Amino acid sequence: MSLDSDTLWVAFGLMLIFEGIFPFVSPHGWRDKMAQLMVLEDGQIRFFGLVCVMVGLLMLWWLG
């Protein structure tokens, strides 16, 4: 699988689209979720980040 700069820009653009959908569609719901995240401990947030990274790597491995 070749990875060029165009592919990275497309991936970045898609990430921004997906990240922006929830606050665009439901700003109040997004604000409530952010408030819930603020009360989590650092370890809980790190675990969620680790799970996201692992799922992303698994998806890349599976698709590649």
Side-chain angles (χ1 to χ4, degrees):
M1 175 170 101
S2 96
L3 188 64
D4 58 7
S5 64
D6 288 343
T7 304
L8 290 174
W9 283 114
V10 168
F12 185 64
L14 287 171
M15 181 202 67
L16 290 174
I17 290 169
F18 287 122
E19 289 288 327
I21 288 174
F22 191 41
F24 177 73
V25 172
S26 178
H28 181 71
W30 182 83
R31 188 177 294 116
D32 288 345
K33 291 299 172 195
M34 290 300 111
Q36 289 175 0
L37 281 175
M38 295 301 292
V39 300
L40 292 178
E41 298 292 326
D42 287 351
Q44 293 171 304
I45 295 171
R46 279 196 179 103
F47 179 75
F48 179 72
L50 176 64
V51 169
C52 289
V53 168
M54 298 304 290
V55 168
L57 288 172
L58 184 63
M59 288 173 63
L60 290 176
W61 175 77
W62 185 56
L63 294 172

